[in-house]
Structure formats: C-alpha cells, structure tokens
C-alpha cells in the first residue's frame, strides 16, 4: 500500500498570506493525486485532481503541482473560508490511500 | 442536482453485520465508479472500497478485505456496502462518493452526508 505523508500537520497563517501544503508518496504515483478540503461537520470537497487540475467551482487561488512522489497544494492568498483541513489522496493503485491531513488554521 | 444519500448506519455489537446503502440521484449512475470512504472521530480519512460503473470490478482496503463487500444495483441507482464480522475499529462515519469522470479514477467530486457506524458491546 502506498503511504502518503502530509506536512506540516498544522499550518498557522493569516488571511492574505500564501499557504504551501506538502504531500509525499512512499513510491511514485505519477500525477494520480487529488486534494480535498474538509470543514468541521462537512463532507470533503474535491479541490484538485490529477495533481494540478482545479475541480469545478474551485477558485483560481488554489493550485496544485508535483509528480512522482512530491506534491504541493498552494493557496496564493488566503481567504477566511480557506481555513480547513486538507487531505491528499492517491489514485495510482489499489488500494487507494489518503494522507493524514494538514490543518490550516488562522494565526 | 447531483446527490448522494447514505443510510443504514447504527449501533452493532462486535462480530455483527450491517448493510449501508447510498441512493444516488441527478446523474447517470451506471457510468460512474463509486467509492466508500470512512472517517473516525477527530481523525483522517480512510479509503474503504471502490466499484466500477457496471460493478464488474471491485477494490478493497486491506483492513476490511474478506469482511466487507461492495455492490451496486444500477436499476435502483443505489450503492451498497455489506459489512460483516464488524470490529470496534470499524467505528466511523461512512461516506459514499462519486468519481469526477465517467472514464477515470481521478477524484471524488460528490460526497454524501455520511452515516455513522458504531461497533460496541
């Protein structure tokens, strides 16, 4: 099973700042990576698929990059509604797996 | 509007069984692969199982293989998860989710509201 390691576990930033979240795979997954945003009491929401494609309705301030084993989710200028937990998800092989998440909190 | 509605959760004793259902609406159900994902309280997400649009291919996490069975009835637009030999560690909120694309496994773009499963004596 492919293990995804997300870092940092918690990221404290202020609105308007740039957020950089990392996801590292234990083996190459090409570009088969998705990112999700989850707010308390809600189901996850797809943000990025295939490492760098924004899902429908996701603002342009969200971008994804990376391939093989190292991936990054960047939020260029944080809005208040962006503070949430973010998970990465590998689709390269079965069984799929998720990272443990990065909590993006207001500083 | 694309919607997924889970049901069937509840309290069950260790060793018991439950069947979860996920009723889909607002899209052509039989061309999209589906997944079950669970989340333990205060913790992260765990992918549980996946099934292709026609139901011919199924996939399972190692932690539930041999105990859980995923299936679908495309005539009823419904996804199922039969859970047997339940363990305390299976306690979680279970979500069903739809693949973004009909031809790829690249992202789960629609999720249900989740159904809670508690395994306890």
């Amino acid at each position: 099973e492919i293990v995804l390691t997300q870092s940092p576990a918690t990221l404290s930033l202020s609105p308007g700042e740039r957020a950089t979240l990392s996801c590292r795979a234990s083996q190459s997954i090409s570009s088969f990576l998705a990112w999700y945003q989850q707010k308390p009491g809600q189901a996850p929401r797809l943000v990025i698929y295939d490492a760098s494609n924004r899902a429908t309705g996701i603002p342009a301030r969200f971008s994804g990059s990376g391939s093989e084993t190292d991936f990054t989710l960047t939020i260029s200028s944080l809005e208040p509604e962006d503070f949430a937990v973010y998970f990465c998800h590998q689709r390269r092989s079965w069984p799929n797996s998720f990272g443990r998440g990065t909590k993006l909190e207001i500083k | 509007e694309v919607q997924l509605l889970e049901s069937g959760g509840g309290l069950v004793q260790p060793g018991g069984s439950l069947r979860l259902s996920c009723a889909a609406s607002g899209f052509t159900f039989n061309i999209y692969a589906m997944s079950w994902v669970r989340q333990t309280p205060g913790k992260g997400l765990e992918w549980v199982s996946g099934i292709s649009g026609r139901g011919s291919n199924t996939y399972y996490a190692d932690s539930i293989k041999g105990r859980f069975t995923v299936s679908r009835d495309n005539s009823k637009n419904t996804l199922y998860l039969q859970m047997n030999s339940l363990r305390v560690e299976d306690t979680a909120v279970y979500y069903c989710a739809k693949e973004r694309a009909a031809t790829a496994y690249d992202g789960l773009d629609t999720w249900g509201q989740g159904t809670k499963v508690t395994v306890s004596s």
Side-chain angles (χ1 to χ4, degrees):
Chain A
E1 178 176 330
I2 296 173
V3 176
L4 298 179
T5 302
Q6 290 189 243
S7 62
T10 303
L11 184 58
S12 300
L13 294 171
S14 301
E17 291 193 292
R18 181 184 187 90
T20 303
L21 287 66
S22 173
C23 178
R24 177 165 289 178
S26 60
Q27 63 190 76
S28 175
I29 58 172
S30 185
S31 296
F32 297 104
L33 188 90
W35 289 93
Y36 302 85
Q37 175 193 72
Q38 188 178 31
K39 297 180 180 179
Q42 297 183 16
R45 176 192 184 193
L46 179 65
V47 177
I48 297 287
Y49 64 94
D50 284 348
S52 61
N53 296 297
R54 276 190 305 277
T56 301
I58 300 300
R61 62 181 180 272
F62 288 85
S63 63
S65 63
S67 65
E68 306 299 335
T69 60
D70 290 294
F71 300 86
T72 300
L73 174 68
T74 301
I75 309 171
S76 60
S77 179
L78 285 165
E79 296 288 340
E81 62 267 27
D82 299 336
F83 292 91
V85 181
Y86 291 84
F87 296 94
C88 56
H89 175 202
Q90 70 83 14
R91 313 311 308 282
R92 173 62 181 83
S93 64
W94 306 102
N96 282 187
S97 49
F98 285 90
R100 295 182 65 84
T102 290
K103 182 180 181 180
L104 179 55
E105 65 176 24
I106 299 177
K107 187 174 182 180
Chain B
E1 181 188 3
V2 176
Q3 283 191 324
L4 299 171
L5 183 63
E6 302 97 337
S7 61
L11 174 64
V12 61
Q13 292 187 337
S17 298
L18 277 177
R19 187 177 83 156
L20 305 184
S21 300
C22 171
S25 60
F27 64 101
T28 305
F29 182 68
N30 63 7
I31 65 172
Y32 287 90
M34 301 289 293
S35 285
W36 287 99
V37 177
R38 67 186 182 184
Q39 186 165 33
T40 51
K43 294 190 178 180
L45 300 170
E46 180 184 11
W47 179 84
V48 173
S49 182
I51 185 168
S52 59
R54 294 186 178 184
S56 53
N57 296 307
T58 57
Y59 310 95
Y60 298 97
D62 292 342
S63 60
I64 57 88
K65 195 174 292 184
R67 300 188 297 122
F68 291 10
T69 303
V70 63
S71 63
R72 62 194 296 162
D73 185 338
N74 286 342
S75 69
K76 296 182 178 179
N77 288 352
T78 303
L79 174 72
Y80 301 100
L81 185 67
Q82 177 66 45
M83 305 186 296
N84 298 331
S85 302
L86 282 162
R87 305 169 180 170
V88 171
E89 55 264 35
D90 295 320
T91 295
V93 173
Y94 285 73
Y95 294 100
C96 64
K98 163 191 165 290
E99 288 292 341
R100 185 197 68 84
T103 56
Y105 293 86
D106 62 10
L108 301 171
D109 74 339
T110 304
W111 296 62
Q113 85 292 346
T115 187
K116 186 174 182 180
V117 172
T118 302
V119 184
S120 175
S121 55

